[in-house]
Amino acid sequence: MALTMEERDLRYIWHPCSQMKDYETLPPMVIDHGQGVWLYDIYGKRYLDIVSSWWANLLGHCNPDINAAIRDQLDRLEHVIFANFAHRPAIELAERLAEITPPKIRKFHFNDNGSSAVECALKMCFQYYLQSGKPQKKRFMCLTEGYHGETIGALSVGSMDLYAKMYQPMMMDNIHVEAPDCYRCPYGKTRETCSCECFAAAENAFREHAGETAAMIVEPLLQGSAGMRIYPPLYLKKLRMLCDRYDVRLICDEIATGFGRTGTMFACDQAEISPDILCLSKGLTGGYLPMSITCVTEEIYDAFYADYSEGKAFLHSHTYAGNPLGCAAALAVQKVLREQHILQKAGQTASWLTREMDRAFGHHPNVGEIRHIGLIHAIELVRDPETKAPLDPARRTGYAIYKKALEYGLILRPLGDVLYFNPPLNITREELTQAIEAAHRALCDILPET
Ligand SMILES: *Cc1c(COP(=O)(O)O)cnc(C)c1O
């Protein structure tokens, strides 16, 4: 008997971020093609991709404008070494990014995935201080529950036990600052009464460690992998000032938040701050091709600019850095964002979605909080909304809801017991209504309303 596609998959493939034994009960879904928010499997069943395929798909699958741009580029040039060489798509993309990134960002270093953009930022900050006569500044600060990727350096500025704990012996010794936790605010404040009391933790850490610290890295406004934890712009404003006061570089990892995900082009824009380094990936190519960019200020760039013999160059490279197909896709994304007024329209959709989510989920006895920023809406499920006591993690409630939602044709991949929508920015209200219905059914199947 011929093997099924699923069997052939499991014979050789080790999937990312999965316990492979789980595939015994939930085999891989073999996707044949995509169109807009929809993915179609090989049996013709369709799924609404409400998580944008790992938050990368910014403007729908097989977007005609992006497809055309890649096709066009494909017949000109697929790849060229990016040391000493350049090409039109990279040059135009850098020009475009210079227009839209925060004001102090001036230079763009191309890499090929999010984690490597973060590694690059860390190495740059270390070398920046080394070459500025401050070699003692070689440690990094980060927020607890932060996520910056899976490579060793990126993991060690993340502090989510789930991904990082086991590898502790391999990691750098970084300083982990208690992150804001707005849903379970230890100061008893609400989002309305907050004045960032929790910022004291950062102030204490800087007082003690700033002298040995090169940079602080954060996910601005939204700690995504932590369960879509949202914190106020004021925290970022204060952090920018603190970094300036203590001569510490600020790295904003906007790999997840960039390109309109939080309602503005970048999350930094809402705090009106300009980081020293900005890391971009995911939505950059619309989720088409692996590419990332580490964007830096003139000041950092200048510390590397010298005669070759001084040995100050940044000798960091990735084979696929500046890949022309990726740049062509990224340029097409920018064109669509601009010409189709995507951010404005997404903003209107977002306000509507907030009301609809509250209406559909607000009364469920296990819904602790529905939080939102831009089109991202997250529902934190709890045992008791009064006490905010979490559900028993051993029950894997989120995973059970995920499996149910798949039956209803929705790809809802919870973070623990946090369900979330993070759809392409051009999703329609009809599609969102379908997603809400399927998510609500799946939730109520697993956690009945009465
Ligand atoms: C996804 C993500 C990364 C890692 O990007 P990869 O391309 O998966 O290596 C880093 N930081 C944040 C905030 C992310 O969401």
Side-chain angles (χ1 to χ4, degrees):
M1 264 264 289
L3 294 176
T4 64
M5 275 293 186
E6 292 81 352
E7 287 163 341
R8 285 166 62 190
D9 172 286
L10 292 173
R11 203 161 155 215
Y12 291 118
I13 296 178
W14 190 346
H15 287 274
C17 207
S18 313
Q19 170 49 265
M20 290 308 298
K21 194 163 191 297
D22 283 346
Y23 290 81
E24 287 176 9
T25 50
L26 183 63
M29 271 142 297
V30 185
I31 298 301
D32 180 72
H33 64 283
Q35 188 58 64
V37 294
W38 299 99
L39 290 169
Y40 295 80
D41 72 12
I42 49 174
Y43 309 103
K45 176 166 177 169
R46 67 174 193 170
Y47 299 89
L48 203 163
D49 184 7
I50 204 69
V51 297
S52 292
S53 285
W54 260 340
W55 315 348
N57 187 275
L58 196 71
L59 297 166
H61 294 283
C62 283
N63 181 292
D65 295 297
I66 306 174
N67 284 13
I70 294 173
R71 229 177 263 131
D72 210 39
Q73 181 58 37
L74 191 56
D75 286 331
R76 277 175 191 278
L77 177 68
E78 79 303 329
H79 187 61
V80 62
I81 175 174
F82 206 51
N84 300 118
F85 291 81
H87 46 82
R88 196 178 287 116
I91 294 166
E92 289 178 2
L93 178 60
E95 285 170 352
R96 171 68 183 152
L97 290 174
E99 283 169 25
I100 62 170
T101 48
K104 288 198 174 150
I105 297 294
R106 295 298 301 166
K107 300 287 179 181
F108 301 90
H109 192 282
F110 289 67
N111 296 299
D112 57 17
N113 66 76
S115 304
S116 65
V118 169
E119 297 285 338
C120 179
L122 300 176
K123 284 174 71 180
M124 280 174 170
C125 289
F126 169 84
Q127 192 174 340
Y128 164 81
Y129 279 112
L130 189 69
Q131 292 173 179
S132 308
K134 293 175 184 167
Q136 72 280 10
K137 289 172 85 68
K138 58 187 179 196
R139 294 184 74 190
F140 294 92
M141 285 193 207
C142 55
L143 292 177
T144 56
E145 303 299 317
Y147 179 81
H148 300 286
E150 301 289 356
T151 50
I152 302 299
L155 262 191
S156 61
V157 286
S159 43
M160 291 193 59
D161 282 355
L162 178 62
Y163 304 114
K165 196 171 187 176
M166 177 181 316
Y167 307 101
Q168 213 69 50
M170 300 171 70
M171 288 184 198
M172 301 187 278
D173 177 27
N174 296 321
I175 301 143
H176 298 256
V177 176
E178 191 65 35
D181 185 0
C182 301
Y183 175 47
R184 295 186 176 83
C185 176
Y187 299 88
K189 296 300 182 87
T190 64
R191 292 191 196 273
E192 289 70 38
T193 60
C194 162
S195 48
C196 291
E197 286 77 2
C198 61
F199 193 71
E203 285 169 337
N204 292 338
F206 273 67
R207 219 173 285 124
E208 198 175 337
H209 297 292
E212 51 180 337
T213 300
M216 169 111 191
I217 181 165
V218 296
E219 295 158 90
L221 302 190
L222 175 75
Q223 289 190 296
S225 300
M228 299 295 180
R229 283 167 45 144
I230 298 163
Y231 63 89
L234 179 63
Y235 191 96
L236 270 188
K237 265 201 220 304
K238 285 173 174 276
L239 192 59
R240 176 69 274 183
M241 288 192 285
L242 198 63
C243 286
D244 287 342
R245 172 139 49 95
Y246 282 99
D247 185 24
V248 168
R249 298 303 100 195
L250 178 61
I251 304 169
C252 283
D253 174 353
E254 295 231 24
I255 291 166
T257 52
F259 305 107
R261 286 289 187 196
T262 66
T264 44
M265 187 58 87
F266 300 104
C268 286
D269 299 341
Q270 293 180 44
E272 297 171 311
I273 62 149
S274 195
D276 299 289
I277 299 190
L278 177 71
C279 298
L280 302 175
S281 187
K282 292 206 164 93
L284 174 64
T285 63
Y288 269 64
L289 289 150
M291 185 158 92
S292 65
I293 302 188
T294 306
C295 319
V296 308
T297 60
E298 196 98 54
E299 190 195 356
I300 290 184
Y301 177 82
D302 284 346
F304 295 75
Y305 200 86
D307 286 331
Y308 184 79
S309 59
E310 288 185 48
K312 288 186 168 180
F314 188 54
L315 299 179
H316 175 113
S317 64
H318 292 285
T319 307
Y320 287 100
N323 175 262
L325 297 172
C327 293
L331 271 174
V333 166
Q334 289 306 317
K335 195 159 179 280
V336 172
L337 287 179
R338 197 175 42 218
E339 290 179 0
Q340 298 179 20
H341 311 288
I342 298 288
L343 263 60
Q344 294 90 312
K345 288 185 199 159
Q348 291 159 9
T349 310
S351 323
W352 172 86
L353 179 59
T354 303
R355 290 194 301 276
E356 293 299 306
M357 294 290 272
D358 283 338
R359 209 154 58 90
F361 297 98
H363 303 293
H364 190 285
N366 293 105
V367 170
E369 182 181 53
I370 307 174
R371 45 184 178 260
H372 60 93
I373 184 164
L375 266 181
I376 297 171
H377 283 65
I379 302 172
E380 179 150 349
L381 298 175
V382 293
R383 191 150 43 85
D384 177 4
E386 251 352 275
T387 62
K388 303 181 182 176
L391 294 162
D392 177 7
R395 288 182 51 195
R396 297 183 80 189
T397 309
Y399 186 63
I401 295 169
Y402 165 59
K403 289 197 284 189
K404 266 289 164 211
L406 282 176
E407 286 177 28
Y408 300 140
L410 176 70
I411 303 177
L412 183 70
R413 204 168 178 278
L415 296 154
D417 293 328
V418 176
L419 314 178
Y420 68 88
F421 287 7
N422 186 7
L425 300 182
N426 54 359
I427 192 170
T428 65
R429 292 180 191 200
E430 295 74 56
E431 289 158 344
L432 282 167
T433 302
Q434 292 177 55
I436 291 171
E437 277 167 17
H440 188 257
R441 272 174 80 190
L443 169 64
C444 293
D445 283 355
I446 303 299
L447 295 173
E449 252 174 316
T450 46

